[in-house]
């Protein structure tokens, strides 16, 4: 289950946040079930927090405002890539010998995906992203419901949140 309160994190004064105004607050839930013969199950979860960017976010009259300077955007993207790669490697210890993986990610910044795939080599990685990319922790679950992992394949659901906390969930086939 994932929930987001996007309206509290955008600034009405920042032109870069204009597209975010189209997205409402919301939540998503997905029930994973399987029978004894086939299906996927949650095998492990991992997360890490990098508070280095917290000063770029401030509270004004009780509302959290995103104020990430352009100079920090590349650094934050690198933090996404290194955090998600580290989390994915940690999770894959539960599935030794895995050579192919489907990733479901919540990142709207698609520039981060090519370096992530590169960081996970020699693993063959297929990334599924929702078309909007701004539902936070719910995005990977939306992608999973839209494009399920192949039978017998492994999947990692990656998400992030302001703070900055990065999280992954490993799904494996029975």
């Amino acid at each position: 289950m994932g929930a987001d309160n996007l309206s509290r994190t955008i600034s009405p004064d920042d032109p870069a946040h204009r597209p975010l105004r189209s997205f409402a607050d919301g939540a998503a839930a997905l029930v994973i079930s399987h029978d004894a013969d086939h299906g996927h199950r949650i095998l492990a979860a991992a997360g890490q927090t990098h508070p280095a960017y917290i000063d770029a976010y401030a509270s004004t009259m009780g509302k959290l405002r995103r104020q990430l300077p352009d100079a920090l955007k590349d650094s934050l993207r690198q933090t996404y890539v290194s955090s998600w790669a580290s989390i994915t490697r940690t999770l894959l210890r539960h599935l030794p010998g895995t050579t192919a993986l489907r990733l479901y990610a919540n990142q709207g910044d698609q520039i981060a995906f090519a370096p992530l795939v590169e960081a996970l080599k020699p693993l063959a990685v297929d990334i599924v992203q929702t078309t909007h990319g701004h539902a936070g922790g719910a995005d990977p679950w939306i992608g999973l419901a839209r494009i399920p992992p192949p039978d017998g394949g492994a999947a990692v659901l990656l998400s992030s949140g302001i703070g900055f906390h990065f999280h992954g969930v490993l799904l494996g086939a029975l």
Side-chain angles (χ1 to χ4, degrees), residues 74-122:
D74 285 339
S75 172
L76 180 57
R77 183 178 301 122
Q78 291 169 7
T79 300
Y80 267 92
V81 171
S82 64
S83 296
W84 279 353
S86 172
I87 288 167
T88 300
R89 283 190 214 95
T90 297
L91 292 173
L92 290 180
R93 291 182 192 141
H94 296 272
L95 284 178
T98 300
T99 59
L101 179 69
R102 180 165 287 166
L103 293 180
Y104 297 84
N106 80 327
Q107 178 54 273
D109 182 359
Q110 295 182 16
I111 297 170
F113 292 136
L116 179 59
V117 169
E118 187 66 29
L120 292 171
K121 282 187 175 178

Side-chain angles (χ1 to χ4, degrees), residues 57-78:
Y57 292 78
S59 179
T60 305
M61 295 176 55
K63 289 197 162 227
L64 182 65
R65 302 290 183 201
R66 297 177 188 218
Q67 299 168 354
L68 188 65
D70 287 340
L72 289 179
K73 289 181 181 178
D74 285 339
S75 172
L76 180 57
R77 183 178 301 122
Q78 291 169 7

Side-chain angles (χ1 to χ4, degrees), residues 4-10 20-21 23-26 66 134:
D4 290 281
N5 194 0
L6 185 62
S7 64
R8 293 181 50 88
T9 68
I10 61 174
L20 298 177
R21 295 181 194 138
F23 300 98
D25 302 336
R66 297 177 188 218
H134 287 95

